Amino acid sequence: MNFPDDFTWGVATSSYQIEGAAHTDGRGPSIWDTFSYTPGKVVGGEHGDVACDHYNRYPQDVALMKDLGVQAYRFSIAWPRLYPQGDKQREQRGFDFYNRLIDALLEAGIEPLATLYHWDLPQHIEDQGGWLNRKTAYLFQDYADKISRAFGDRVHSYATLNEPFCSAFLGYEKGIHAPGIADVVAGRRAAHHLLLAHGLALQ
């Protein structure tokens, strides 16, 4: 198979699956922290407390990407790392991490692409209803606005929600992903609010 000359070769990760540092620099708990520590939810009781330790090893990871000839890196931003309670309480150390990562990528000639939400909703927001609460869509709109203002001078491509099908139906209808709710109506309601959040964030 021949790829066009302008084809972009990239790699992608998700924040909870790679960053680790779950209790570092003010990061708040996410629904995946809670879910993974719930007995019987994850095979072997595994969790993302350390994961690939990308939070501390990002310089080596960027060097690996450069060595591979990667042209773009789609990383996910952890909402609870920037806003531990999911609202207006800003954690500057979280912003500093993503600033360091973005600058390292650009220095290596790798385009940073950001996903705003990759399933790790702040637990504080879930405690108020999570994606079953219409207010969460508006919290996400505000979060997206703050992120684009903070990183928009260097990050020019964003995805709003990673696989909202998984967030809604696996998380709220089937209960096999965080937050582990198994209810058909909840799945449909979560899907509606996720789509609303996407539309609001685009603005």
Side-chain angles (χ1 to χ4, degrees):
M1 180 179 291
N2 294 319
F3 288 85
D5 292 337
D6 61 352
F7 186 85
T8 299
W9 292 95
V11 294
T13 60
S14 72
S15 47
Y16 184 72
Q17 293 171 345
I18 191 172
E19 285 182 4
H23 311 289
T24 301
D25 290 342
R27 178 188 177 278
S30 77
I31 56 174
W32 268 99
D33 294 294
T34 303
F35 185 78
S36 64
Y37 271 96
T38 302
K41 292 297 185 181
V42 180
V43 174
E46 298 290 346
H47 53 73
D49 284 5
V50 177
C52 301
D53 199 24
H54 182 63
Y55 187 82
N56 295 305
R57 297 176 181 267
Y58 76 89
Q60 297 97 309
D61 293 338
V62 172
L64 285 170
M65 287 186 269
K66 183 177 181 180
D67 187 56
L68 286 169
V70 168
Q71 298 167 304
Y73 175 42
R74 199 295 314 259
F75 63 95
S76 300
I77 296 173
W79 191 344
R81 193 174 295 286
L82 301 185
Y83 293 93
Q85 300 301 313
D87 47 23
K88 297 180 180 179
Q89 179 190 335
R90 176 187 172 106
E91 177 48 72
Q92 185 59 44
R93 290 171 292 183
F95 279 88
D96 291 344
F97 165 68
Y98 291 111
N99 277 316
R100 293 192 300 269
L101 173 61
I102 291 165
D103 289 344
L105 290 167
L106 292 172
E107 186 176 346
I110 300 169
E111 182 183 3
L113 311 173
T115 295
L116 299 178
Y117 180 72
H118 204 134
W119 307 351
D120 50 352
L121 189 71
Q123 183 61 47
H124 181 73
I125 294 179
E126 180 60 33
D127 292 342
Q128 300 175 54
W131 289 111
L132 301 182
N133 185 346
R134 188 179 179 88
K135 179 183 176 182
T136 300
Y138 293 91
L139 291 174
F140 183 74
Q141 178 188 33
D142 183 60
Y143 165 71
D145 180 57
K146 289 173 178 174
I147 297 305
S148 64
R149 292 178 188 275
F151 306 127
D153 59 328
R154 289 155 296 153
V155 180
H156 306 298
S157 295
Y158 295 86
T160 52
L161 308 167
N162 179 77
E163 297 177 296
F165 170 88
C166 294
S167 296
F169 295 107
L170 300 185
Y172 287 89
E173 181 170 324
K174 297 296 185 182
I176 60 175
H177 279 192
I181 296 172
D183 181 89
V184 172
V185 174
R188 303 302 195 273
R189 188 172 182 178
H192 174 74
H193 293 152
L194 282 155
L195 292 173
L196 174 61
H198 167 75
L200 292 169
L202 283 178
Q203 299 176 28

